[in-house]
Every structure is written in C-alpha cells, then in structure tokens.
Amino acid sequence: MSSESTEVWTGWYRDRRGAEAIVITADGRRIATRVRGVEYAGPSFDGLRAAEENGGLPLAGCVLEWDLPLPVLTDGAAQQATLSCLLALGEALSDGSPERVDLQLTLHCGGAAYESGLAGGDFDQALDRILRQLPPGTRFGRSFLEGAEAAA
C-alpha cells in the first residue's frame, strides 16, 4: 500500500460498556479509528492513542475485531482470501498503556482456516506464522500496513 492510498476496514469494538461498530483506516503511516466519539490514532494497533484534547491516553481494556481482503498467490494463481483480525488490549497500566497486547489472525482461504496463534502485537510475525502453513511458493498478493504494523 502506498502512502497516498488509504485502506478502510469495518469492524467491532468491545469493552465492559458494550460493543459498537467501528471503521479502521490505515494510510501506510498511521492507523486510526473512532470509539464513542473519540478518535484514536497511532503508528500501530497497539499504539492507538486519543488526541491530547481527549486525554491522550492509549486505547486499553478492549477488543477490536475486523476483516480485510487479502489475495493469496500460489504458483502465480490468485485466490481471494479474507484475513480475520482479533486484537485484545489488556487493562490500562499506571501509564495508561495496555497490560498486554494479544493479536490473533485467521486467514480464510480455499475453504480452510489458517491461524497465527497469539502473536503478541506483531502483525508481521502473525502473518509469517500463517504463511508457513500455506503450500510452498505461496505469498500474499499485496502488502498493507507498511510502517504501521502492530509491533509490540
């Protein structure tokens, strides 16, 4: 994804107060979403923070879920797949950061599901775990979140 393009994914935000639909945007440099009227943005999923005028605190004590299309190429043949993402951010520590970051990715492709297992918050590491389960020579048909991975 180039820095000039913006990816948009819909998903869900859940915490003790309930659930709401959200929209996540990523432009190659930052990720952003709005939760209960407050915009959170940052360089990674586990780095989402409210703007200073809204307290500047990191997003914590919640779960984000979203799906994104991800073409998969095997021996040059493209197949459309869906990557389901589940990010659990633990309760806030004294500095406001989440006590833990758990990322789970599941690739739905060709009638099968390939899971990353818990990967801390590292998006690339989770994708690599999935890629190792696919047939040799398989690769993802595009990159995304360049410079905005969920590095823990």
Side-chain angles (χ1 to χ4, degrees), residues 85-148:
C85 309
L86 175 68
L87 178 68
L89 300 171
E91 294 303 318
L93 296 171
S94 60
D95 67 355
S97 65
E99 65 183 342
R100 72 182 192 313
V101 177
D102 294 327
L103 176 66
Q104 168 93 36
L105 302 181
T106 304
L107 180 70
H108 302 277
C109 180
Y114 304 91
E115 296 188 3
S116 67
L118 291 180
D122 192 312
F123 206 89
D124 284 337
Q125 181 183 48
L127 282 175
D128 286 343
R129 287 181 181 179
I130 289 173
L131 196 55
R132 287 193 304 259
Q133 298 171 50
L134 299 173
T138 299
R139 63 183 175 87
F140 298 123
R142 69 181 179 99
S143 59
F144 47 92
L145 301 179
E146 292 171 7

Side-chain angles (χ1 to χ4, degrees), residues 29-43:
R29 292 170 303 207
R30 75 179 204 128
I31 297 164
T33 191
R34 183 174 296 277
V35 176
R36 296 189 178 110
V38 176
E39 180 162 339
Y40 291 85

Side-chain angles (χ1 to χ4, degrees), residues 13 15 17 20 22-25 30-45 47-51 54-60 62 64 89:
Y13 167 90
D15 66 10
R17 292 176 38 201
E20 73 175 61
I22 58 170
V23 174
I24 299 168
T25 60
R30 75 179 204 128
I31 297 164
T33 191
R34 183 174 296 277
V35 176
R36 296 189 178 110
V38 176
E39 180 162 339
Y40 291 85
S44 61
F45 286 104
L48 293 172
R49 295 176 98 48
N54 288 314
L57 292 175
L59 194 56
C62 63
L64 300 174
L89 300 171

